[in-house]
Amino acid sequence: MPAALPLSHFLLALAVVAVWGTNFVVIKHALADLPPLAFATLRFAFVVFPAVFFLPRPKVPWRRLAAYGVLIGAGQFGLLYIAMNGLISPGLASLVVQVQVFFTIGLAMAAAGEKVRPFQVFALLLATAGVGVILAHTDGSATTPLGLLLVLLAALGWAGGNHVARLSGRVNMLAYVTWASLFSVPPLLVLSLVLEGWPAIRAGIEGASPATWAAVAWQSAGNSLFGYAAWGWLLARHPAATITPMAMLVPVFGMGASALLLAEPMPPWKIIAAALVLAGLAVNLLWPIVAARRLPPPAA
């Protein structure tokens, strides 16, 4: 735990990453009743209502709210839910989607014209090796090639959303997510009606158990509203270099919860893949911090 981070703030950050990590188990549970795109539609509908009536619209252009809503709604979670509907295990999904870090960096560098630094190349090679280990085991027992591709595309959608949010400047992230979700619902609903059909949607909603509705509410209130609000609150009070590395615990919670609650097998290759991906994330996030601390102090 960084010395500059008070215990209460550390515990709040830990609660957020625990919610985000174990959320993959919650998703898997709800997909037993609801078609994936219908589930995603409900998730963002409950993010919007009733919070939109209590949070003022952030002062950013509508086009950016729309872009964020579509990229995160249909791009990230729409594809992620489809993948997790039998194409990839929750634990691996929680791991692979974290490559959004590298996609986010790539988009930022492309926009700013920056060059890739050597430590970033090394970090990317480590993470890519981890994804390669997963690709070598796409035999259908834990993941399929299509499932892996969909989660990688979901990570790209997440990175695109991150890039749009950065362009929007410093805003109330809770209000931003709420109002942007207005633009997540329509494309998800249209895709659900076209690809899944109204009979499947109706059957899923009518057959959904109270636990499934609790999972939908948890997606909306716990994962989106609490998670983003608390994370944004922490980032507003501490350097990003202090808070951001804790996000590496998300796949740890995700894979741990999947093994504990869903009895997802953890063969050696999964552990190796996780170690490689997490090592890549660690190098990317921590190398600049360590390098900065080793620099000599400026001359008086």
Side-chain angles (χ1 to χ4, degrees), residues 32-60:
D33 288 337
L34 295 169
L37 292 171
F39 176 26
T41 303
L42 290 170
R43 173 220 174 102
F44 285 97
F46 287 125
V47 169
V48 174
F49 303 105
V52 73
F53 297 116
F54 301 98
L55 296 170
R57 182 175 74 85
K59 295 180 180 180
V60 298

Side-chain angles (χ1 to χ4, degrees), residues 137-185:
H137 293 83
T138 52
D139 56 1
S141 59
T143 186
T144 63
L146 179 58
L148 182 60
L149 175 62
L150 287 172
V151 177
L152 289 172
L153 290 174
L156 183 59
W158 187 359
N162 289 340
H163 182 64
V164 172
R166 284 170 58 89
L167 294 176
S168 301
R170 295 179 65 87
V171 297
N172 181 328
M173 201 60 194
L174 177 60
Y176 190 93
V177 169
T178 298
W179 281 84
S181 295
L182 281 169
F183 299 94
S184 301
V185 174

